[in-house]
Amino acid sequence: MKVYTAAQMRAHEQLAVDAGTSFEQLMENAGGAAAADLLRRHPEPARALVVCGKGNNGGDGLVMARLLQAEGWRCDVVFVLGSELSPLAETNRRRLLNLAGISFIGAQALPGQLAQQRYDVIIEGIFGTGFAGRLPAAVADCCPLLNASDGLKVALDMPTGLNGDTGDVDADVFRAELTYTFGAYKPAHLMDAGRAVCGEIVCLAIGIQ
């Protein structure tokens, strides 16, 4: 079992890029592996809410949205920290434009949307392994709404609000039923506090050593 801290994970990703892949391909691999596993579990087209932050964890969710849409799913996408995204996340946002079945929801509209629309799956890609400290207010307000909603709750790499290195848990952590971790487990996945909010943990290969 491989277990990497956030810094070790970044180092191994850089080694993969130095060996000839790209960060864009690693993101495609991560989102693709997660989408493939989810489709095995839920083979019939369904409706998903994809909740993204600004960074590459959100980019993984955007890759998933595109691949699920190709299989007939309807996906609503929301950016809870604004629309200024990392370059790779922006690349994958643009790939969703004008795809049938993909809708973008403003963060302010999310509470009403959750009250009106039942989702089969909620995919959370706000911070991933990039979280430390306290959740910003916008995310602290969002996560309890997601936790209270229907549908399978899926976290990408790490439920937002869980520190992947230390296992510290914010009071408003996203409470996943299924967590896809990419490339390696992270220390918090093996801690009691982490397991309590991760649900089932599935480690997916993305092309790093």
Side-chain angles (χ1 to χ4, degrees):
M1 175 188 292
K2 293 187 294 186
V3 182
Y4 293 160
T5 65
Q8 289 169 334
M9 188 67 189
R10 289 191 295 271
H12 281 272
E13 289 173 341
Q14 186 63 58
L15 287 172
V17 170
D18 293 343
T21 189
S22 65
F23 288 112
E24 181 177 353
Q25 186 60 55
L26 291 175
M27 182 176 289
E28 189 72 18
N29 293 349
D37 186 85
L38 183 58
L39 288 167
R40 284 193 291 270
R41 296 166 182 263
H42 207 309
E44 296 299 319
R47 186 159 191 154
L49 176 67
V50 184
V51 186
C52 301
K54 294 182 176 183
N56 291 347
N57 193 240
D60 297 336
L62 297 173
V63 172
M64 286 188 73
R66 171 166 46 83
L67 297 175
L68 293 174
Q69 184 272 347
E71 297 297 326
W73 285 50
R74 297 183 65 185
C75 296
D76 294 340
V77 178
V78 59
F79 299 102
V80 296
L81 292 172
S83 58
E84 185 176 333
L85 309 180
S86 71
L88 285 180
E90 175 62 20
T91 293
N92 280 289
R93 185 194 70 84
R94 291 180 179 276
R95 289 171 178 163
L96 298 180
L97 299 178
N98 302 316
L99 291 181
I102 299 286
S103 299
F104 292 93
I105 299 169
Q108 298 300 319
L110 183 59
Q113 182 73 11
L114 286 168
Q116 297 172 16
Q117 177 64 56
R118 184 190 181 281
Y119 291 99
D120 302 289
V121 180
I122 293 174
I123 298 168
E124 182 272 302
I126 302 174
F127 283 133
T129 58
F131 169 75
R134 297 286 302 276
L135 287 173
V139 180
D141 291 342
C142 173
C143 285
L145 295 174
L146 301 177
N147 293 337
S149 63
D150 293 330
L152 176 67
K153 295 170 185 66
V154 179
L156 301 183
D157 225 358
M158 192 67 57
T160 283
L162 172 63
N163 185 309
D165 287 350
T166 68
D168 292 340
V169 181
D170 190 276
D172 294 308
V173 64
F174 178 73
R175 297 184 178 276
E177 297 165 280
L178 172 62
T179 296
Y180 292 122
T181 184
F182 303 121
Y185 292 92
K186 313 309 183 293
H189 292 140
L190 309 183
M191 301 176 186
D192 289 343
R195 288 196 297 264
V197 297
C198 286
E200 180 185 356
I201 303 170
V202 178
C203 186
L204 300 170
I206 63 169
I208 68 168
Q209 297 299 314

